[in-house]
Every structure is written in C-alpha cells, then in structure tokens.
Amino acid sequence: MKSKERPLTWTRTLYLFVALVLVSLALILLSQGRQLLPVESAASQVLTPIQQAAHDVTSTVGGWIDTLHRMNDLEDENKKLRAALDSVTAENAQFQELKRENTNLRALLKFQAERPDINGVLANVIGGDPSSTMEILTIDKGIQDGVTAGMAVVSSGGILVGQIKDAKVSRSTVLLITDVSSSLAVATQNTLVPGTLEGRWQKQGRLLMRHIPRDKKIVSGDILLTSGVGGVFPRGLIAGEVYNVRQSDVDTEKEAEAYPLVELHSLENVLVITNGPGK
C-alpha cells in the first residue's frame, strides 16, 4: 500500500508545482503590464510636445509659403495699379494742357473779334532771362514769321505784355513793360488822364505812372490803356491797373503805382501785333 501511495503523492506534487509556476508567471506578466502603464504615460508626456512642435513648425512654414504667394499677388496688383495711375495722370496732364490751350485760343479769338484792326502772329514763350537782371521773354517766332523789332506784344486776351526788343530768324526777345527801361504813353480808361507808364527797378513786376497833371483825378482801381501817343503801341491796349496814388505838397505832378493785369512770367503764348504804330 505504501508503494502505491508514494508515486501518487509525487505526481500531485508535480502538478501542484507546475500550477504554482504558471500562476507565478501570470502574476509576473500582470505585474509587468501594470508597470508598463507609467512608462507609456511618461513616453506620451515626452513625445506629445515634440509632436505639437513639429505640427506647429509645419503649420508655420505653410503659412509663410502662403504669405509669400499673397505678397507676390499684391506686388503684381500694385504694379498694375501704378501703371493705371500713371496712365490716368498722363491723361489728366494732357487734358489740362488742352484745356489751357483752348482757353488761350478762345481769348485770342475774342480779342481779334473785338479788334479787327489788329493783325498778329501767335508765338510760344520758350524762355526768360536766366540772370534775372532784365524783365524779358524769348518767343519762338522771328524775322521769317514777319516779326521785327519795335512791334507790340500782347497776351492771348489782348493785355499788353511788352515790345519786341530784338528779332532773329526764328526767335525774338520781348522787353516786358515791367523792365526799368520800358516806357509807354498811357491814359486812364474812364477819365483819359494821361501819363507815362514805366517799369520799376525797386519793385520788380510793378509799374509806375508818372507825369500825371496835379489837377487831374486818378484813383485806385483805374484801368490804364495805351494812348497811342508816340507811335509805338496801338491805342486802347490794357496796360495795367492803379493801386496807389501819391502826391507831395510841392510837386506839380502826381504819381500812381500800378501792376500789370496778367502774370507776365507765367505766359505760355503771346500775340505779336504785326501792324499798327509799332510796325
């Protein structure tokens, strides 16, 4: 009996030992599985910022590329707008030039309609006196156009500008009425008070009417016209406007300060009178 029980006991012991080993292995695996959770969590905590940074960098680079594309588009659009603006500016400048030319031509036609006795040559102003020592203009008409020294020169509206001082083949010099060497006979428009209109050295661009009889009335605002005396300028051309009258107690004559009724140094074209006393 004892010999049979011994093998049975040994077999049970072996089974029990194997079972214990299997349980131990299971417990070890379960234990290791639980221990892996913190490792995975730690790895996740370390890798997540890196993944986010990589995503941010990718997004930023993509944004830069998109911005560069937009900048190129804006630059192209800007070039087109500048070209359009330049075109509009050029067209506007041309329009203004044509408008001024049209205004001048209308004034010239009006003047010639009012003064059919006057013949003239239209000339463009091409320069002045670079030294600023003389009140002169240079025009693009000369002897070949019938212009000679001594002829009167007026604006397109018929306001007296000056006199041809020197004529060459294709250009001429105009001595303005504001030059100190200029002198012409004038009279007031309404009262016909006579006098001599001269350019002023002390006040460039202004005029001085001298030799006004003491007993004659002349006031600020009087318009001065060429009188035709002396055979230099046609009669009735507007020469200036009085703005100040002065007289001393002992002088037998009055003086009146005046200014021209056209901006002489801003003229674009003028009319040279080719007939009349100046010729």
Side-chain angles (χ1 to χ4, degrees), residues 49-162:
I50 296 175
Q51 292 174 346
Q52 184 63 42
H55 179 269
D56 293 343
V57 169
T58 304
S59 299
T60 302
V61 172
W64 288 346
I65 294 174
D66 186 52
T67 300
L68 288 176
H69 285 307
R70 288 200 301 270
M71 288 178 65
N72 290 333
D73 293 340
L74 288 174
E75 185 176 359
D76 292 339
E77 184 177 356
N78 190 36
K79 289 180 180 179
K80 292 178 181 179
L81 289 174
R82 284 182 178 277
L85 179 61
D86 290 342
S87 177
V88 171
T89 302
E91 290 177 0
N92 183 61
Q94 184 178 10
F95 171 76
Q96 294 299 329
E97 183 66 23
L98 291 174
K99 183 179 179 181
R100 285 194 298 269
E101 184 178 352
N102 183 59
T103 301
N104 291 336
L105 290 175
R106 284 180 179 273
L108 178 61
L109 290 173
K110 182 175 183 293
F111 170 65
Q112 290 187 326
E114 294 174 349
R115 296 295 301 265
D117 58 309
I118 289 179
N119 297 326
V121 172
L122 185 64
N124 296 314
V125 177
I126 57 176
D129 179 23
S131 64
S132 300
T133 58
M134 296 183 66
E135 292 281 288
I136 61 173
L137 294 177
T138 302
I139 59 174
D140 64 351
K141 294 295 188 291
I143 297 173
Q144 66 182 11
D145 305 293
V147 176
T148 59
M151 290 180 172
V153 180
V154 298
S155 69
S156 56
I159 298 174
L160 185 62
V161 171

Side-chain angles (χ1 to χ4, degrees), residues 177-179 182-184 186 195-203 205-212 224 241-246 254-260:
I177 59 175
T178 51
D179 188 83
S182 173
S183 178
L184 59 140
V186 295
T196 302
L197 193 62
E198 302 175 351
R200 301 197 65 179
W201 177 263
Q202 297 88 349
K203 295 183 179 181
R206 293 306 176 98
L207 303 164
L208 180 64
M209 183 179 178
R210 301 180 61 194
H211 310 304
I212 304 170
L224 303 178
E241 181 177 340
V242 174
Y243 69 89
N244 181 44
V245 180
R246 60 193 189 192
K254 297 177 183 179
E255 290 184 341
E257 294 177 306
Y259 54 84

Side-chain angles (χ1 to χ4, degrees), residues 185-200:
V186 295
T188 56
Q189 185 176 35
N190 296 324
T191 57
L192 301 181
V193 176
T196 302
L197 193 62
E198 302 175 351
R200 301 197 65 179

